[in-house]
Amino acid sequence: MLLKYDIYRDDLILNPYDEANSTKINLHKENIKSFTISNEKFVNLTDLPTIFKGGFYEEIILKNETTLYIKYLKEKKRSIE
């Protein structure tokens, strides 16, 4: 089973078989509290002030017990030639 995080759409995608199989399942974000990919923990933050975008954030706990939340974003840009 393979789990992928689509940064552009902020979606979690499950491939229940293997890389060779094209079957993919988009998981409902509302039902996911957290997940881990390659030792990186992501949490679904929803109750945020309006200046922050909700969704999946990487959670990093520092030695002094401070927690950092990092939001990854990817945007499409149209190029005009």
Side-chain angles (χ1 to χ4, degrees):
M1 200 173 348
L2 183 64
L3 193 61
K4 290 187 176 183
Y5 173 44
D6 181 344
I7 294 173
Y8 177 70
R9 290 188 175 88
D10 197 37
D11 283 336
L12 197 56
I13 301 165
L14 176 69
N15 184 335
Y17 304 108
D18 57 24
E19 287 280 340
N21 190 307
S22 64
T23 301
K24 292 179 178 40
I25 302 169
N26 286 4
L27 302 175
H28 289 280
K29 187 184 309 184
E30 303 81 30
N31 298 332
I32 300 167
K33 291 184 180 180
S34 66
F35 63 92
T36 302
I37 295 178
S38 299
N39 296 325
E40 294 176 343
K41 182 178 179 184
F42 291 84
V43 293
N44 189 1
L45 300 180
T46 54
D47 297 326
L48 298 173
T50 55
I51 61 169
F52 296 105
K53 183 176 179 175
F56 296 119
Y57 284 72
E58 183 179 2
E59 181 180 72
I60 298 175
I61 300 173
L62 302 176
K63 290 181 183 178
N64 64 358
E65 298 181 16
T66 301
T67 304
L68 297 178
Y69 294 99
I70 301 171
K71 179 70 175 168
Y72 295 101
L73 299 172
K74 189 179 240 186
E75 297 178 354
K76 281 188 179 179
K77 292 187 179 182
R78 223 167 97 183
S79 95
I80 302 173
E81 294 182 29

